[in-house]
Structure formats: C-alpha cells, structure tokens
Amino acid sequence: MPETTPADDDMAGWRRLAVTGGLIVALAVASAAAGATMVPQIAGPAPSKATAPAVITNPEPSASAEPTPTEAPTAGPSASATPAPSASPTGPVRPASAFTSWAAPLAGPLGIPQVALEAYGYAEWVLQQTRGTCKLQWTTLAAIGKVTSEHGKQNGSALDTFGRERPAFIGPALNGTGGTVKVADTDGGALDSDQNWDHTIGPMQFIPAMWRLAGVDGDGDELADPQDIDDAALAAAYFLCSGGKDLSVVANWKAAVSAYHGLAPRIDKIFEEAQSYGVRSRS
C-alpha cells in the first residue's frame, strides 16, 4: 500500500482539536504503513450534538440542459447530528457514525446509502477542522460518489455496513481503449493488480497516483483502503483541497473538480448533482 504524505502544517493542528458542544476529538492511530495520515476522531461518551455538514445556500441549478457552473457551493446554515455508538460495541468505533442521526432521515430521500452519506458528512467535518479555508461541502463529495460509482453500486457491488465496497471494484485498464485515457502503471500493481496500466478503484474511483497523494485511514482501522468509503471520501476531500484554494470561489471549485481523474468532462453533471443534493437535503 503506498504511503500517504499529509502536510506538516495540518499535523500540528490535528494534535489538539475540540468542538464546542462537547465533542471530544482525539487522534486516530494511523495506517500501519509508516507516514499514514492521522485524522481527528470522535471519541468518549456520546455528546448531545455535533456540527453536521453545511448545505448549499444558492441551490438553483442552471435551466439549460448542460448547465455551466456559475456559483460554487458555499457555506450555509448547519444542521445538528447526534453521535451514535458503534454498531459493534466490542469493535472499533467508526468515526463517521457520529453523523448517523443526521444522515438517517436524509439517506432515503436523497437516494444515498446511509453509510456513504455519513462518510461524506464526516469528511466535510474533518476538513473544517484541518483545512477550514478550503470550504468544501459534503454535497460535492456526494456528487462525485454519485457520478463515478453510484455510491459504490457500480457493476453489482454495494457498500457493506462498515462502508467497504463488496465485491471490491477495480475498473478497466486505462490503456486508451474503450474511451479510456492512457495512464501507465504508477503503483507496480499494488492497488489494481496490473503492472502495465492503472485502473480506477473503489467507490470514489481513485487512480493509484491520486491515492498516493491523498490516501488516508479515515476510520481508524489502521488501513488506508480506497475500497472503503470512509477512507475514500476523506481522501477525495483532501485531494480536492490539496491546492490550498477556497472552493467557495467558483473558479477554484471548477479547477479542483476538473483535476480529479475523469471528472473534467463531467463537471456540469457534478455541479448539477451537488446542487440537487443541497436542495433536497433542506426540503
């Protein structure tokens, strides 16, 4: 598994974090691989509420058939989420489960598996704590999950109760055929079992080079796994914010999303889906 390389300035901020309202934040033990990213974890007794992901405040999509984004998702009023205990009392606590009470009533109406919605919300929350100037919204992550993999449901796969895609998904070789671009192997086949060409992997459709840059253990299980929605959603958030830009600025949002493998031609669709999730989450 390739090592991850988090920014040094983030590491200092992650060592002591607290959220008003009683959330106790601790550091997760990182991946067994040296250098794996450490992220804030929600620990201790379940507090009364936590800050949930914000929603889009300018939700109207373009009226054209192929809308061109004119506004990026911006910070809006937050809802409240009540942290829930782990589904397995004797097992490790899944940090994203802190957003269960927020995600549970929205998952059905939005058509997003609850485990995925929790992961998108948690990823936004983590980025608020570690890279607050990025202003990434959960709706953008959800839109990417929708457009790239139907939230892990491509080719008959599905996310299990812990967020892992089963069966694991590895896309076709990116060898220039079948409409794919050519991406020569970058990981020696470690993630995609192909030493000639790269493949897209998991519910957020990473390619190995992207995973090497942003891969993270998002659920504290000591494994950075692109097939795990908790890890993949948080890694996608870090990748989108890697340029250090404010993604509430439309030009920055478009540049960040376009840099994600395969999304440049579908940026209008990503925008449309993000806006739709924002509208429906507030109705």
Side-chain angles (χ1 to χ4, degrees):
M1 185 70 64
E3 295 181 358
T4 59
T5 56
D8 292 339
D9 57 345
D10 285 337
M11 293 295 290
W14 293 338
R15 297 193 183 279
R16 290 184 180 86
L17 290 173
V19 176
T20 56
L23 265 185
I24 301 172
V25 182
L27 288 175
V29 177
S31 169
T37 303
M38 290 187 287
V39 300
Q41 298 278 303
I42 300 172
S48 58
K49 62 176 62 177
T51 301
V55 295
I56 296 172
T57 56
N58 299 296
E60 292 300 323
S62 168
S64 64
E66 296 182 1
T68 299
T70 57
E71 296 179 319
T74 56
S78 295
S80 292
T82 302
S86 170
S88 174
T90 59
V93 175
R94 177 175 167 260
S97 67
F99 291 90
T100 293
S101 61
W102 168 78
L106 290 175
L110 295 181
I112 301 175
Q114 183 177 319
V115 70
L117 187 54
E118 292 167 356
Y120 302 144
Y122 178 67
E124 182 194 295
W125 181 84
V126 171
L127 268 290
Q128 287 174 347
Q129 315 309 309
T130 60
R131 298 185 186 178
T133 57
C134 180
K135 299 181 183 178
L136 177 71
Q137 302 294 296
W138 68 267
T139 48
T140 295
L141 298 173
I144 292 172
K146 165 72 174 177
V147 170
T148 59
S149 75
E150 283 289 336
H151 308 295
K153 294 186 286 187
Q154 71 250 322
N155 287 17
S157 293
L159 300 176
D160 67 16
T161 56
F162 295 100
R164 195 173 196 282
E165 188 166 14
R166 298 186 185 279
F169 180 80
I170 297 176
L174 299 175
N175 58 11
T177 65
T180 65
V181 297
K182 286 186 177 182
V183 183
D185 175 64
T186 61
D187 69 331
L191 292 174
D192 54 20
S193 301
D194 188 340
Q195 296 184 4
N196 296 309
W197 303 99
D198 272 351
H199 299 241
T200 57
I201 308 163
M204 298 299 280
Q205 291 292 271
F206 275 91
I207 58 174
M210 289 170 59
W211 189 255
R212 182 180 299 112
L213 173 67
V216 62
D217 173 13
D219 54 10
D221 65 357
E222 301 187 1
L223 177 66
D225 182 1
Q227 302 287 351
D228 185 319
I229 191 62
D230 290 338
D231 298 354
L234 186 55
Y238 278 120
F239 183 86
L240 291 167
C241 292
S242 61
K245 302 293 186 179
D246 178 353
L247 298 193
S248 68
V249 176
V250 64
N252 297 340
W253 183 88
K254 291 171 69 175
V257 174
S258 295
Y260 201 105
H261 173 76
L263 293 190
R266 296 186 280 178
I267 192 167
D268 291 337
K269 182 63 174 176
I270 297 293
F271 177 78
E272 191 176 85
E273 292 291 347
Q275 295 290 70
S276 176
Y277 284 138
V279 171
R280 288 184 288 152
S281 69
R282 299 181 69 182
S283 62

